[in-house]
Amino acid sequence: MSNSGYYTRRSAVRLLDKVMEDGRLLNDLIQSGGLSKLEPADRARAQRLALDTLRNLERADRVLQKHMKKTPDLHVHNVLRLATVELCLGGAAHGVVNDAVNIVAKNKRTAGMKGLVNAVLRKVNDKGQAEWDKLRVPRLPKWLRKPLAQAYGAETMLDIEAAHFAGAPLDLTVKEDAEGIAEAVGGVVLPNGSVRIADAGQVTALAGFKQGQWWVQDAAASMAARVLNAQPGETVLDLCAAPGGKTMQVAAAGAIVTAVDDSASRMERLEENLKRVQLNATVVVGDVMAQEGQYDAILLDAPCSATGTIRRHPDLPFAKDGSEFGDLIGLQEVFLDHAIGLLKPGGRLVFCTCSLLPDEGEVQVEEAAERWADVTVDRDAVLIDGVDPAWITEEGGLRLRPDYWADKGGMDGFYVAMLRKGQ
């Protein structure tokens, strides 16, 4: 393997170290320059190696434990994990093993472990692939698996984990002519109108990107704005708007949109996306609680655990431990109450979260309807194209899960509900 293979693998291991040790998320690490020293192709490969390792972590550990008496230092363990995943997925042994040994050898703290790394990986290469496919689908850590199994049952939990393990295709939301875009990019049109591509490659090279004919957005996430159903000329407030998929949907419908988020860097990207797709919105970098005025409609995509996005973000279960969920749930309630106060009489609000936890979805809406005497949940609003009526929950919201549309490649876990204010 050339030097580029070594640097690519070393960079991927460093990402793993920061996820597992510091609780950092891969997206944040990459956006803050975690792979900036690599060439674009190597950058993409390092990211893929890190994602593959995280998705297969339980399997890698099961293979490795047969060849080690005790668990090594985390950095060495992550080198072994990454190499094991590569070997068991058919990587060329010479390059994989050599680079793993060199990564450990060139670090003064771990140099003494290079013999162990070499010996273990030789054994993995001999026997690992035969064991690999017999191993179960990796399970979520107990801190997350337990509440999800309580919410959905043990059998559904296995289906959700299978969807996580399968990963995620690329979904596009198109401005118009979904069939034409699907044909141009080699994708299919989903029941909700999104276009799905099984193996997309480089997004910016896809047909229609430069012309601004579409944007990347998971099919489940796109359903929130479809439920809102903004009309031309309506004033719409999009809260926690970045990265802007829903903003663009609402703007494309002809509404007058104000998009608010407290992240300046994420809002820069939203403005770039608006420019590319030739749509207009007022972009505000600011706090949700500082917003004033009265709006016809509001979309609140509240800060949440993001547990619905694990099929595309397998780092999340390892970077988090659930300790911040209580604070997030409290923040969602505060934001929801403030947003309801910004609605005109007769106005409507879509509350959504990319979470699988009922406390961040069903429970929030049920309790909001109890707190606000003039607010009702509109069950009919969530019956949009592509929605199975069985997905509508007791309080009238829409519960989307990764195991839905399993034959089509799944969807993110998501919760959407429409609240209407009395006249």
Side-chain angles (χ1 to χ4, degrees):
M1 196 83 189
S2 70
N3 265 356
S4 82
Y6 165 78
Y7 289 118
T8 299
R9 291 184 172 110
R10 189 182 70 174
S11 298
V13 170
R14 284 178 174 172
L15 292 177
L16 294 175
D17 289 347
K18 285 183 162 57
V19 169
M20 314 284 286
E21 194 164 23
D22 302 336
R24 300 283 304 278
L25 290 170
L26 271 186
N27 264 6
D28 295 342
L29 290 167
I30 291 162
Q31 282 163 21
S32 61
L35 298 175
S36 59
K37 291 180 181 175
L38 297 177
E39 293 296 318
D42 291 338
R43 205 176 300 159
R45 185 157 175 260
Q47 186 174 351
R48 191 175 69 250
L49 283 172
L51 288 169
D52 284 348
T53 304
L54 289 160
R55 197 167 273 127
N56 287 282
L57 203 77
E58 182 193 296
R59 284 186 166 192
D61 284 352
R62 282 174 176 257
V63 169
L64 284 167
Q65 71 187 17
K66 295 183 179 181
H67 307 298
M68 296 189 299
K69 288 178 182 168
K70 61 178 185 177
T71 304
D73 162 275
L74 180 64
H75 174 68
V76 175
H77 200 185
N78 284 336
V79 172
L80 287 166
R81 285 162 158 168
L82 185 131
T84 296
V85 170
E86 273 204 90
L87 290 171
C88 291
L89 294 179
H94 178 74
V96 173
V97 177
N98 277 5
D99 284 348
V101 170
N102 284 331
I103 291 167
V104 171
K106 290 181 183 181
N107 181 326
K108 286 180 185 173
R109 188 171 54 82
T110 61
M113 303 290 281
K114 66 181 183 179
L116 171 88
V117 168
N118 185 57
V120 167
L121 292 179
R122 296 290 173 198
K123 289 175 187 170
V124 169
N125 188 51
D126 288 343
K127 300 176 182 175
Q129 278 181 303
E131 299 166 4
W132 189 256
D133 291 332
K134 297 175 190 170
L135 295 170
R136 72 184 186 190
V137 166
R139 295 193 173 174
L140 290 173
K142 285 179 185 173
W143 67 264
L144 181 54
R145 192 173 207 271
K146 190 176 176 185
L148 293 183
Q150 282 175 341
Y152 303 114
E155 200 171 319
T156 296
M157 190 67 244
L158 293 173
D159 292 339
I160 289 172
E161 285 167 332
H164 289 166
F165 187 52
L170 185 78
D171 293 346
L172 311 177
T173 299
V174 303
K175 284 164 77 175
E176 54 190 27
D177 188 20
E179 293 287 353
I181 296 291
E183 193 175 330
V185 298
V188 295
V189 180
L190 293 171
N192 71 317
S194 294
V195 171
R196 173 161 290 178
I197 312 170
D199 189 12
Q202 192 179 342
V203 172
T204 53
L206 291 172
F209 175 83
K210 286 177 183 161
Q211 295 80 13
Q213 295 174 330
W214 48 261
W215 51 92
V216 174
Q217 185 179 31
D218 187 79
S222 77
M223 293 195 196
R226 296 180 200 273
V227 167
L228 188 73
N229 192 24
Q231 300 300 306
E234 280 189 319
T235 55
V236 178
L237 180 63
D238 184 6
L239 295 172
C240 311
K246 300 175 194 70
T247 304
M248 290 184 278
Q249 284 178 282
V250 175
I256 301 159
V257 195
T258 302
V260 177
D261 199 283
D262 64 1
S263 168
S265 61
R266 281 159 60 84
M267 288 304 258
E268 260 181 56
R269 289 215 310 285
L270 189 152
E271 287 190 299
E272 286 166 11
N273 282 329
L274 283 168
K275 192 174 178 182
R276 178 178 66 82
V277 299
Q278 296 151 46
L279 291 170
N280 296 309
T282 301
V283 175
V284 177
V285 178
D287 183 359
V288 166
M289 299 303 291
Q291 303 313 305
E292 298 174 343
Q294 295 280 285
Y295 294 85
D296 296 314
I298 296 174
L299 208 164
L300 170 60
D301 187 352
C304 73
S305 64
T307 44
T309 67
I310 291 170
R311 67 195 191 116
R312 68 182 72 250
H313 298 301
D315 50 320
L316 194 139
F318 303 106
K320 305 289 182 185
D321 61 5
S323 58
E324 79 277 30
F325 289 179
D327 289 343
L328 284 169
I329 290 163
L331 189 64
Q332 290 155 15
E333 183 180 318
V334 170
F335 279 11
L336 183 50
D337 280 348
H338 184 68
I340 290 170
L342 300 175
L343 280 177
K344 290 179 181 176
R348 64 197 188 282
L349 179 149
V350 164
F351 173 81
C352 61
T353 54
C354 55
S355 170
L356 281 169
L357 298 165
D359 282 349
E360 297 187 285
E362 292 88 334
V363 175
Q364 289 286 16
V365 166
E366 195 172 19
E367 291 180 352
E370 287 172 4
R371 287 195 303 275
W372 292 79
D374 63 340
V375 166
T376 55
V377 182
D378 185 343
R379 301 180 70 92
D380 295 333
V382 295
L383 275 171
I384 56 172
D385 287 347
V387 165
D388 184 331
W391 301 348
I392 299 173
T393 50
E394 195 178 326
E395 80 298 332
L398 180 61
R399 166 51 65 195
L400 304 172
R401 296 198 322 238
D403 57 311
Y404 291 162
W405 289 353
D407 59 327
K408 298 177 177 67
M411 64 172 75
D412 280 355
F414 219 82
Y415 177 82
V416 184
M418 168 86 90
L419 299 172
R420 287 194 180 273
K421 200 171 191 179
Q423 295 284 353

